């Protein structure tokens, strides 16, 4: 097979008849193409008058492939690399995975495939029950601090865009995508350059992965919170678990800590135990909402209403002379802003899209970096306290009656402006002065960054655009130190994993880190 890259195809391309479609491409003229399969597809919108698909295609041809590759500009002999999950392992003790977000889920899946019958402890509820709690909260009912956007089956990623883009180059990425497809995700995530699943489909996907783990001998214990780690002569011996108001001890020799970036009480427990951690940079900011139609027009030009194009997305970044950066994160085309709080009397927000991405608004986090040097004192958990102070101010700003919202004109210029976007956050957007939530260095960076982004996307900083705050949970403010063997540097048998431990930033990288930690456990079996 030959992999042909950078193949320019028109928006009207019939991908169900790809072999005949690519015969029209000048680069492939004269070739007798026997078969053609789409490998990757992206939209090239750099020139608004010439928007097209840029594709990589696997082809088989008549003739010697080596000679054909030499005459083509962008082609190579395709040598597939496929990740293989380990199987046939046996262990005297069952490994434990704490947390059932992307990292914990793929750690447990990998262990189950290997035959090690993992036990998963998830402090939140199964996804169907969790969905009820989340939707009730969005309707104005009380927050369930153990079952919300942050905690429960699937982790924070379940109530997100389900974005599967990542900057890491790892063979395990393709394995993660295949597992998602095998469990209900659309096949197009295998070929889209910017794959996403959507929260509506993710809910069923995570249930299917859970059921597969159980079929392989694994066990998932929901509403089961890790509250302590017991040692015997310096070695891991058991875990203290709180479930339905009662504590019990679970014997354990290997535990993967995939606790998520919002497990602040667990961070505290680990700190008190003496588990070595460090403060790390994180980011804080707002969610910005535009009309999706305006983003489409800005990015697609005259093609903005093409039936062949999906809702437009963007990714922006800028850096200032003082070394601080501002960037967009987890852009949700056709999505909504959600109340993602997990602690009483605190407010935090995130973005979410359904698989169709057909909502009226586009939203994205606009974040600025917070460095350890920005924090007061020497406490390892100073970043957690910084986040909490911002979330507490946001809650108090609305007297707990809603989520802080502001027009961009008001935030940037201090003038009254009529919103041209209807805020999507539930249960109630409350217009107020968001700048009072943040320290001035955050406000200053966000304002400068947004104005820079307006130079890249026309109308990005329009006065009537709305922002919602705070986006404070994009990443963990700590890193639990681990060695090359992925064990904690403090206690062998503890494997810090995923976003919460400071080793990932998104669904894909977290899932890959979960697989890596599970590999480290299986190698001992």
């Amino acid at each position: 097979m030959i992999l042909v890259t950078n193949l320019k195809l028109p928006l009207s391309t019939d991908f169900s008849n790809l072999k005949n479609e690519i015969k029209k491409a000048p680069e492939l003229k004269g070739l007798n193409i026997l078969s053609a399969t789409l490998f990757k597809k992206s939209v090239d919108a750099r020139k608004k008058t010439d928007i097209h698909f840029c594709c990589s295609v696997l082809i088989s041809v008549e003739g010697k492939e080596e000679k054909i590759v030499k005459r083509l500009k962008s082609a190579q002999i395709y040598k597939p690399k496929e990740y293989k999950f380990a199987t046939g392992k046996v262990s005297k003790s069952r490994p434990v995975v704490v947390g059932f977000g992307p990292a914990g889920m793929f750690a447990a899946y990998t262990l189950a495939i290997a035959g090690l019958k993992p036990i998963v402890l998830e402090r939140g509820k199964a996804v169907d029950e969790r969905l009820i709690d989340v939707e009730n909260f969005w309707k104005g009912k009380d927050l369930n601090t153990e079952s919300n956007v942050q905690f429960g089956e699937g982790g924070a990623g379940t109530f997100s865009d389900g974005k599967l883009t990542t900057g890491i180059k790892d063979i395990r990425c393709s394995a993660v995508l295949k597992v998602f497809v095998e469990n209900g995700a659309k096949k197009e995530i295998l070929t889209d350059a910017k794959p996403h699943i959507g929260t509506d489909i993710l809910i069923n996907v995570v249930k299917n992965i859970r059921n597969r783990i159980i079929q392989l001998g694994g066990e998932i214990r929901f509403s089961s919170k890790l509250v302590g780690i017991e040692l015997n002569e310096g070695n891991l011996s058991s875990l203290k678990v709180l479930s339905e108001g009662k504590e019990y001890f679970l014997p354990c020799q290997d535990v993967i800590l995939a606790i998520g970036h919002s497990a602040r009480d667990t961070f505290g427990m680990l700190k008190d135990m003496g588990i070595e951690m460090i403060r790390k940079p994180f980011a804080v900011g707002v969610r910005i909402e535009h009309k999706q139609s305006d983003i489409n027009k800005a990015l697609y030009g005259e093609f903005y209403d093409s039936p062949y194009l999906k809702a437009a997305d963007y990714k922006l970044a800028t850096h200032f002379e003082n070394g601080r950066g501002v960037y967009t994160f987890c852009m949700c085309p056709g999505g909504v802003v959600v109340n993602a709080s997990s602690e009483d009397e605190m407010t935090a927000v995130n973005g979410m899209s359904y698989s169709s991405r057909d909502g009226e608004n586009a939203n994205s986090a606009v974040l600025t970096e917070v460095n350890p040097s920005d924090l007061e004192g020497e406490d390892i958990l100073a970043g957690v306290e910084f986040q909490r102070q911002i979330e507490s101010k946001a809650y108090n700003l609305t007297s707990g009656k809603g989520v802080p919202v502001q027009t961009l004109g008001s935030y940037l210029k201090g003038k009254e402006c009529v919103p041209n976007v209807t805020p999507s956050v539930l249960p109630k957007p409350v217009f107020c002065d968001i700048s009072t939530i943040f320290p001035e260095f955050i406000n200053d960076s966000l304002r400068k960054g947004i104005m820079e982004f307006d130079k890249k996307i026309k109308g990005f900083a329009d006065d009537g655009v709305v922002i919602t705050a705070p986006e404070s949970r994009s990443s963990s403010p700590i890193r639990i130190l681990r060695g090359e063997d992925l064990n904690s540097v403090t206690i062998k048998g503890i494997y810090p994993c995923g976003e919460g431990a400071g080793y990932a930033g998104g669904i894909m990288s977290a899932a890959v880190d979960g697989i890596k930690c599970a590999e480290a456990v299986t190698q001992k079996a």
Side-chain angles (χ1 to χ4, degrees):
M1 298 288 284
I2 297 173
L3 178 63
V4 182
T5 59
N6 298 317
L7 196 61
K8 180 179 176 180
L9 297 176
L11 295 181
S12 58
T13 297
D14 179 4
F15 285 95
S16 67
N17 191 22
L18 189 58
K19 186 178 84 168
N20 289 332
E21 289 284 305
I22 64 173
K23 286 180 179 179
K24 305 171 188 176
E27 305 97 304
L28 304 180
K29 189 176 180 180
L31 291 182
N32 184 10
I33 300 173
L34 304 177
S35 67
T37 305
L38 182 64
F39 189 77
K40 285 294 176 185
K41 180 179 74 171
S42 63
V43 175
D44 187 339
R46 289 173 293 179
K47 293 182 180 179
K48 301 297 180 289
T49 57
D50 181 26
I51 296 179
H52 56 271
F53 291 121
C54 182
C55 298
S56 296
V57 179
L58 283 172
I59 62 172
S60 62
V61 296
E62 189 176 83
K64 291 187 177 181
E65 291 185 342
E66 291 79 5
K67 288 185 177 181
I68 293 171
V69 166
K70 286 182 180 179
R71 57 171 277 204
L72 296 175
K73 287 183 178 180
S74 301
Q76 63 189 61
I77 303 296
Y78 178 64
K79 297 178 180 179
K81 296 179 181 179
E82 186 174 355
Y83 176 82
K84 297 288 187 181
F85 287 97
T87 58
K89 299 288 184 176
V90 179
S91 176
K92 294 180 180 179
S93 65
R94 298 173 70 181
V96 177
V97 178
V98 179
F100 204 50
M105 183 171 293
F106 275 85
Y109 180 88
T110 304
L111 294 169
I113 290 287
L116 297 183
K117 301 179 180 180
I119 297 171
V120 177
L121 303 176
E122 168 54 54
R123 67 189 293 170
K125 296 181 182 179
V127 70
D128 286 332
E129 299 171 76
R130 180 189 182 198
L131 179 61
I132 294 171
D133 291 332
V134 169
E135 290 184 340
N136 283 339
F137 177 55
W138 290 344
K139 291 175 183 177
K141 295 185 179 180
D142 290 343
L143 171 71
N144 184 331
T145 57
E146 296 297 333
S147 179
N148 47 60
V149 169
Q150 308 297 342
F151 300 140
E153 184 174 22
T158 301
F159 295 97
S160 70
D161 182 57
K163 204 179 306 296
L164 303 177
T165 51
T166 179
I168 65 172
K169 305 294 183 182
D170 192 298
I171 191 174
R172 299 171 186 83
C173 289
S174 60
V176 172
L177 294 176
K178 287 179 182 178
V179 171
F180 278 135
V181 171
E182 289 168 359
N183 288 278
K186 294 179 180 179
K187 289 184 178 179
E188 64 188 33
I189 69 171
L190 299 175
T191 54
D192 281 355
K194 297 179 179 180
H196 90 109
I197 298 179
T199 190
D200 48 331
I201 293 178
L202 261 173
I203 286 171
N204 289 318
V205 170
V206 299
K207 283 194 291 186
N208 291 338
I209 294 176
R210 176 231 299 171
N211 289 333
R212 179 61 177 148
I213 292 169
I214 293 171
Q215 288 170 2
L216 292 166
E219 180 183 351
I220 318 294
R221 301 182 185 181
F222 293 111
S223 299
S224 297
K225 178 179 175 181
L226 175 69
V227 294
I229 297 176
E230 300 296 313
L231 307 178
N232 182 12
E233 296 182 351
N235 298 314
L236 176 63
S237 62
S238 65
L239 306 176
K240 184 190 291 188
V241 183
L242 177 64
S243 180
E244 297 181 356
K246 297 180 180 179
E247 290 184 351
Y248 68 90
F249 289 92
L250 175 65
C252 176
Q253 293 181 8
D254 294 288
V255 58
I256 295 175
L257 292 181
I259 54 181
H261 56 45
S262 293
R264 294 165 170 174
D265 48 3
T266 309
F267 295 158
M269 180 269 289
L270 296 173
K271 172 194 166 185
D272 292 342
M273 272 197 67
I275 302 292
E276 194 167 346
M277 299 184 282
I278 60 171
R279 304 194 298 190
K280 63 177 276 293
F282 57 103
V284 168
V286 298
R287 277 270 153 187
I288 189 166
E289 286 192 274
H290 303 84
K291 288 183 179 178
Q292 183 64 54
S293 58
D294 290 341
I295 295 297
N296 291 349
K297 290 174 184 176
L299 297 180
Y300 291 155
E302 62 186 64
F303 292 87
Y304 77 93
D305 60 350
S306 169
Y308 303 111
L309 291 172
K310 298 178 181 179
D313 65 357
Y314 57 80
K315 185 177 182 181
L316 305 169
T318 186
H319 285 83
F320 306 123
E321 291 182 0
N322 63 6
R324 204 179 298 278
V326 175
Y327 60 95
T328 62
F329 175 76
C330 189
M331 191 271 173
C332 298
V336 294
V337 178
V338 299
N339 190 336
S341 306
S342 63
E343 292 181 304
D344 286 328
E345 298 186 356
M346 295 188 193
T347 299
V349 299
N350 197 3
M352 184 180 83
S353 293
Y354 296 99
S355 57
S356 60
R357 287 179 165 176
D358 59 357
E360 181 180 347
N361 293 353
N363 76 78
S364 176
V366 179
L367 304 173
T368 188
E369 297 167 346
V370 179
N371 298 308
S373 59
D374 296 316
L375 307 175
E376 296 181 0
E378 300 298 324
D379 191 338
I380 291 297
L381 301 183
V384 170
E385 182 58 27
F386 184 89
Q387 292 173 327
R388 278 176 165 160
Q389 287 176 3
I390 289 172
E391 293 171 16
S392 178
K393 287 180 180 179
Y395 181 89
N396 292 330
L397 189 60
T398 68
S399 300
K401 296 179 180 179
V403 181
V405 172
Q406 189 173 14
T407 62
L408 202 51
S410 174
Y411 181 70
L412 295 178
K413 305 168 186 175
K415 68 176 186 178
E416 290 295 325
C417 298
V418 177
N420 59 23
V421 180
T422 302
S424 60
V425 71
L426 297 174
K428 181 183 178 182
V430 178
F431 281 87
C432 50
D433 184 2
I434 282 176
S435 67
T436 61
I437 297 172
F438 301 118
E440 192 51 38
F441 79 87
I442 290 179
N443 286 317
D444 182 60
S445 295
L446 291 177
R447 287 170 176 142
K448 288 179 180 177
I450 289 169
M451 293 308 299
E452 285 296 311
F453 297 158
D454 191 63
K455 298 175 183 178
K456 300 177 182 180
I457 297 179
K458 184 179 179 181
F460 194 89
D462 187 274
D463 284 349
V465 168
V466 297
I467 55 174
T468 308
E471 170 96 10
S472 51
R473 307 285 187 93
S474 64
S475 58
S476 177
I478 62 101
R479 177 172 290 120
I480 306 171
L481 296 184
R482 67 188 189 189
E484 291 185 4
D485 60 0
L486 305 189
N487 279 264
S488 160
V489 298
T490 311
I491 300 171
K492 295 293 183 182
I494 295 178
Y495 298 82
C497 180
E499 283 199 43
Y503 294 98
I507 291 174
M508 285 297 291
S509 58
V512 166
D513 200 54
I515 294 174
K516 288 180 178 179
C517 288
E519 289 170 352
V521 174
T522 59
Q523 287 170 8
K524 295 171 61 177

